[in-house]
Amino acid sequence: MGVYPRTEVIGRLIAAMGRAGELEKLHELYQGAQLVLTSLADEKQAQSLGWFLIEDQMIIGLAHADEVEAAHVHRMRILEQSGSPSADAYGALIENVTDTTDDTTNALTLFEECRARGVTPNIYLYNTVISKLAKARKADHAIQLFHQMQAEHVRPTSVTYGALIAACCRVGDAISAETLFTEMTAQKNFKPRIPPYNTMMQLYTHTKPDRERVLHYFNEMRRVGVKPTAHTYKLLMDAYGTIEPIDTAAMQQAFDTLVADPQVAVQGTHWAALINAWGCAKKDLNQAIAIFESIPSHPSTKPNSRQPDAVVFEALINVFVTLRCPELIAQYRARIPELGIRMTAYIANLLIKGYAAAGDVVEARNIFEALADPPEGIAAPFNHAPHGDQPAAPLNHLNLPDGTVYREPSTWEAMVRAELGHGNRDEALALLERVRARRFPPAVYHRISGIMLDDSVSPWGRGSEASAPSTP
């Protein structure tokens, strides 16, 4: 009673409670810290250092608890007192810059502030910034930071290399990705982790199709004792189901191995891979439908698993669009409530494409207009299924109404293509004005407006038959 730990201990507890999502306990600790700081009135230096430490840990705790705006309040308190947050605090803020339309710019702004204030980046901060750059396909900038980190004698980890490899893979730079992978595995502190192996498999499955290289990294992964994840199995299935020559027997074997793996659950992405291979690659409509209809009764489908889900449904609609089956699009669209599937922007994109191709641009418009725009500056939520190896990120902090389906930039692209495909240039220009009003990042706006330069544009686009769904 009446006895409090040192500020250093309280600070560590605040950060821990934030990571655990225990906000009430976090704030209780913060209030307790104020009492400790008041008791240090006769030790001004200790009081000042303690105050900065507690504010810094509040940034870390709140950022990890997804209370980013509150974390920035404590950041500003430190800046207003002519101090600087720690590298860990900047890393936490940057890591949790999410759900905005330009995460990378916001993250780099924080990193530049950190450097301008003389804060020395640590490995966590470097890894976080490089990861953000990787996701934004800014491979050159990521490698530049990597060299800067090495010049400052900060030793890279497997996480660093994983992020760099991902950056190179996203821009299709297979040579740099291979070089970095080899360099990573040669490091004395190398600890095999699944992400780089999955990244290399994905590079050679979707970006630069080469089944032999996919299997090389899959076998290397097994050799070093890394267990496959849901995403690994999905990539392995795609390697057999999308790369010519299509090998449906090997794809089915990979799926059967997944079903038999007690450590990994069958997910919508795996069913989608089967449907896409049979429907889009093999052009076997009946088999694609049969797979979809078999899901509820499959042994791997547990009660309340919500399968088939939106990802599976999207794959089926993509088959109908690819094989020009507008009557089936309408038939299965009507079953959405019965199936308990949540509409997403990506399903809507395919419906827009399908109806436009069937000559019904009015219904395509109806689908488009039934969607909503997220608040300005916020990335469209609820459209993405969780990544194969990760749970869905909570979005409660956005206070967005449940059940609303939000347009993605690709939805605007689909509708512009639909209008142009029917010769409705004025309607397409009107859509572009609405896009401009949304204040998307310049790269997004230019990508959408660039469609207007293609006189031969059609709602089908080029190479649609070989495309896979869920392209942002």
Side-chain angles (χ1 to χ4, degrees), residues 166-180:
C168 294
C169 288
R170 280 188 170 93
V171 297
D173 186 352
I175 295 175
S176 294
E178 293 258 12
T179 300
L180 286 163

Side-chain angles (χ1 to χ4, degrees), residues 96 203 300 352 455 465-466:
N96 292 284
L203 169 68
S300 69
I352 289 168
D455 292 333
E465 295 186 4

Side-chain angles (χ1 to χ4, degrees), residues 223-452:
R223 185 183 66 80
V224 297
V226 174
K227 294 181 179 180
T229 63
H231 192 47
T232 312
Y233 283 114
K234 195 267 184 189
L235 292 169
L236 193 59
M237 292 172 67
D238 281 347
Y240 291 118
T242 64
I243 301 174
E244 295 289 349
I246 305 300
D247 189 342
T248 54
M251 177 182 64
Q252 185 63 46
Q253 185 178 4
F255 180 74
D256 292 342
T257 303
L258 160 65
V259 172
D261 189 335
Q263 304 298 318
V264 184
V266 177
Q267 298 178 354
T269 54
H270 304 118
W271 290 112
L274 289 172
I275 291 169
N276 183 66
W278 281 105
C280 295
K282 297 292 286 184
K283 307 293 189 294
D284 190 333
L285 176 64
N286 291 334
Q287 181 65 10
I289 293 174
I291 291 169
F292 180 85
E293 299 294 352
S294 75
I295 295 172
S297 60
H298 192 271
S300 69
T301 303
K302 297 179 174 58
N304 303 318
S305 66
R306 296 187 178 182
Q307 290 293 350
D309 61 10
V311 173
V312 185
F313 189 77
E314 182 189 332
L316 186 66
I317 296 297
N318 190 50
V319 171
F320 298 156
V321 172
T322 299
L323 300 184
R324 318 299 207 267
C325 302
E327 70 287 349
L328 288 175
I329 294 174
Q331 179 184 324
Y332 276 81
R333 179 188 173 194
R335 290 181 59 189
I336 286 179
E338 164 206 334
L339 294 167
I341 289 170
R342 189 188 191 286
M343 175 65 80
T344 68
Y346 299 117
I347 293 174
N349 291 355
L350 289 167
L351 293 174
I352 289 168
K353 190 176 182 181
Y355 280 111
D360 194 349
V361 73
V362 172
E363 188 57 26
R365 289 175 190 153
N366 290 340
I367 292 166
F368 179 83
E369 296 299 346
L371 308 184
D373 288 322
E376 187 177 309
I378 300 297
F382 310 121
N383 285 320
H384 296 275
H387 189 278
D389 310 325
Q390 299 175 345
L395 290 164
N396 300 337
H397 65 290
L398 297 179
N399 295 317
L400 300 175
D402 291 338
T404 304
V405 183
Y406 295 96
R407 299 183 186 98
E408 293 279 351
S410 56
T411 312
W412 293 93
E413 288 186 63
M415 197 62 231
V416 169
R417 287 187 181 278
E419 296 290 5
L420 289 176
H422 283 263
N424 302 326
R425 193 169 183 82
D426 288 345
E427 285 79 358
L429 287 170
L431 285 168
L432 280 181
E433 283 304 309
R434 290 169 63 182
V435 171
R436 190 193 302 275
R438 288 289 303 148
R439 298 185 181 180
F440 283 114
V444 173
Y445 175 77
H446 292 317
R447 188 176 78 197
I448 299 171
S449 63
I451 299 169
M452 300 293 293

